Amino acid sequence: MKIIFKKSKIFYGSSLEKFSKINNQAGAVLTFVGKVRPKNNNKNITSIEIEIYEKMATVQMEKIISKLNAKYDILDYLIIHRYGKVYPGETIVTVFVCSKHRKEAFRFIEETVDWLKVKITFWKKENYESHSEWVEQKKKDKEFATD
């Protein structure tokens, strides 16, 4: 069970293979891969820059995972999130999870990704061809976080 914040690229294929081998007794091994989209609001994105206060983000993530572990019967997880400059098509986040049954793993991944969007201290700036904009949380994402 691990949370990693890193600046370098995420190679999820090798990470998944290793995670799956370690958890060879699990009935389900699921993966979510979040990538930088090439467009937002009909504007071409040249890159995004993600800033993080890693110590705070780790504490926040551990609290969320603790709540989710109490809710779902998860055997293991690995969350890798990038920061720094990331380009369209590159991976921003991967979530690997294993459980005895798939439903628990699916729900864990979905809620983990939702929480990453609203409760973890990231600052994200989208760079376009002619300017940059700081990204604000979407209203629908804020509505998810009720506690």
Side-chain angles (χ1 to χ4, degrees):
M1 298 191 184
K2 199 168 190 180
I3 302 164
I4 300 169
F5 297 105
K6 63 187 247 170
K7 204 167 192 172
S8 58
K9 288 184 178 184
I10 299 170
F11 297 101
Y12 56 86
S14 57
S15 297
L16 174 59
E17 186 175 336
K18 184 177 176 184
F19 184 81
S20 186
K21 276 185 182 178
I22 291 168
N23 292 291
N24 61 359
Q25 298 299 309
V29 177
L30 276 66
T31 305
F32 170 80
V33 178
K35 300 173 89 172
V36 177
R37 291 181 299 261
K39 287 184 177 240
N40 188 20
N41 297 323
N42 294 318
K43 294 181 270 189
N44 291 329
I45 297 172
T46 57
S47 65
I48 64 169
E49 294 175 53
I50 301 171
E51 295 182 19
I52 182 174
Y53 175 34
E54 191 170 345
K55 189 173 182 179
M56 182 185 296
T58 300
V59 169
Q60 292 167 329
M61 198 70 230
E62 287 171 350
K63 284 181 183 178
I64 291 162
I65 295 300
S66 177
K67 287 180 184 181
L68 293 176
N69 276 336
K71 200 171 173 182
Y72 302 114
D73 187 17
I74 298 304
L75 302 173
D76 195 7
Y77 65 84
L78 172 61
I79 300 166
I80 307 170
H81 201 296
R82 280 188 71 186
Y83 62 92
K85 192 174 260 191
V86 189
Y87 296 93
E90 290 184 346
T91 301
I92 299 175
V93 62
T94 58
V95 180
F96 304 100
V97 63
C98 68
S99 60
K100 291 178 185 175
H101 306 284
R102 73 187 186 304
K103 284 184 182 180
E104 300 280 303
F106 275 117
R107 290 181 178 130
F108 181 92
I109 283 181
E110 182 178 29
E111 288 191 37
T112 298
V113 173
D114 285 341
W115 283 115
L116 276 166
K117 293 184 120 206
V118 295
K119 286 287 189 182
I120 308 303
T121 307
F122 293 111
W123 297 272
K124 186 167 86 171
K125 180 170 58 171
E126 289 182 344
N127 298 311
Y128 304 102
E129 293 162 346
S130 62
H131 69 287
S132 298
E133 294 177 7
W134 288 101
V135 178
E136 294 187 28
Q137 285 182 343
K138 294 178 176 89
K139 184 178 179 183
K140 66 178 180 157
D141 291 336
K142 287 181 186 178
E143 290 170 357
F144 166 80
T146 56
D147 75 63

